[in-house]
Amino acid sequence: MNDLASVLVVRKKLVVGNWKMNGSLARNAALLGGLKAAAVGGEVERVVCPPYPYLVQAIESLAGVPIAVGAQNLSAIKEGAHTGEVSASMLTDLGCRWVIVGHSERRNLYGEDDVAVAAKVQAALDAKLMPILCVGETLSQREAGQAESIVHRQLDGVVSVLGAERAGAVVVAYEPVWAIGTGRTASPEQAQAIHASIRAFLASRGVNAAEVRLLYGGSVTAANAASLFAQADIDGALVGGASLQVEGFSEICVAAAAS
Ligand code: 13P
């Protein structure tokens, strides 16, 4: 165990469901109803991130339930002539507390670069939304031995804009692109190695890294969650496919609470 992992800081586990572009009013009602019934107690913080049009449905349905709601994206701009965009203050106005930023699907399919991602993280924090900053390498980058340097570059893009103190308020999700939606999860050891390296990198930049929660994402299921959560630097999960099923998401939350 390295020095940072051994510091006595309790980081409450966090499990975030990223629904991506899935759902309908009827399907969401069934999913939210099931999640509500299953969200009893446990030392774990739960968040679901539906598509924009369903945020209000989720917020209303989960009122009084210990499951917070987040968005999957936001604009870096405050307001104005930006057709199709959604601002941070609109999200907080609705009752969102979280927002995913820089998901690899946004980076790869919609051209978001490190500069755009940093601006979005900043906009989220300005509006008191908790950003979940996604980082991760592609398969070819991993095979070229670049996994750590890519992740460090992505982190650096945010830390250099925010400064160390504000960067300490961000949750980081390590999502290796090759593990997303492929059923090919990183082994607990592979994930832990990158997580430890993320924490060490943040500390080297002056961030209070021992308190930053580091989530793993990429084919997390009820079957592999416990072994991931057993790692010293894995503080929760960002879950895609398995978060669309009541049992899948709830069992991952139970594993987090038990770890
Ligand atoms: P899967 O869990 O479906 O692999 O998706 C991971 C992810 O991209 C979460 O943001």
Side-chain angles (χ1 to χ4, degrees):
M1 192 179 279
N2 63 31
D3 286 350
L4 284 164
S6 64
V7 170
L8 274 180
V9 174
V10 178
R11 295 181 296 266
K12 190 171 184 179
K13 289 279 193 303
L14 172 64
V15 178
V16 181
N18 175 9
W19 293 5
K20 307 195 179 182
M21 197 171 71
N22 294 293
S24 67
L25 286 172
R27 273 155 61 194
N28 302 345
L31 177 54
L32 291 164
L35 292 177
K36 254 158 97 163
V40 278
E43 276 303 299
V44 56
E45 205 172 342
R46 304 165 174 86
V47 180
V48 291
C49 299
Y52 286 141
Y54 302 122
L55 288 171
V56 170
Q57 180 191 23
I59 288 162
E60 288 180 354
S61 167
L62 297 173
V65 177
I67 305 178
V69 176
Q72 299 173 15
N73 185 25
L74 81 166
S75 171
I77 295 159
K78 284 204 169 86
E79 64 181 345
H82 292 276
T83 303
E85 293 292 289
V86 174
S87 72
S89 66
M90 292 173 186
L91 297 173
T92 48
D93 197 21
L94 291 182
C96 283
R97 295 200 13 241
W98 296 84
V99 64
I100 298 169
V101 184
H103 192 281
S104 62
E105 288 151 17
R106 303 283 334 155
R107 293 179 189 261
N108 298 332
L109 303 175
Y110 299 96
E112 287 187 14
D113 60 13
D114 291 337
V115 172
V117 170
K120 289 184 175 199
V121 170
Q122 196 151 34
L125 288 173
D126 286 346
K128 303 205 168 10
L129 271 176
M130 286 287 298
I132 300 164
L133 167 67
C134 300
V135 297
E137 81 288 357
T138 63
L139 185 58
S140 59
Q141 289 165 336
R142 171 160 283 262
E143 286 173 349
Q146 297 168 343
E148 284 193 28
S149 61
I150 293 291
V151 167
H152 292 180
R153 189 210 74 212
Q154 292 168 333
L155 292 169
D156 193 44
V158 170
V159 178
S160 57
V161 170
L162 261 64
E165 195 178 328
R166 280 199 111 191
V170 171
V171 167
V172 177
Y174 169 57
E175 297 206 312
V177 178
W178 47 272
I180 294 177
T182 58
R184 183 181 165 189
T185 186
S187 69
E189 296 72 25
Q190 279 175 320
Q192 167 59 24
I194 299 288
H195 280 227
S197 147
I198 289 173
R199 210 179 292 288
F201 176 81
L202 291 174
S204 77
R205 298 297 306 270
V207 177
N208 185 1
E211 295 203 345
V212 173
R213 284 188 289 184
L214 305 181
L215 312 185
Y216 169 78
S219 298
V220 176
T221 64
N224 59 29
S227 58
L228 289 161
F229 296 150
Q231 303 299 313
D233 290 292
I234 299 184
D235 306 314
L238 181 53
V239 186
S243 75
L244 297 172
Q245 260 119 40
V246 174
E247 299 73 29
F249 189 71
S250 303
E251 284 171 25
I252 292 167
C253 291
V254 168
S259 64

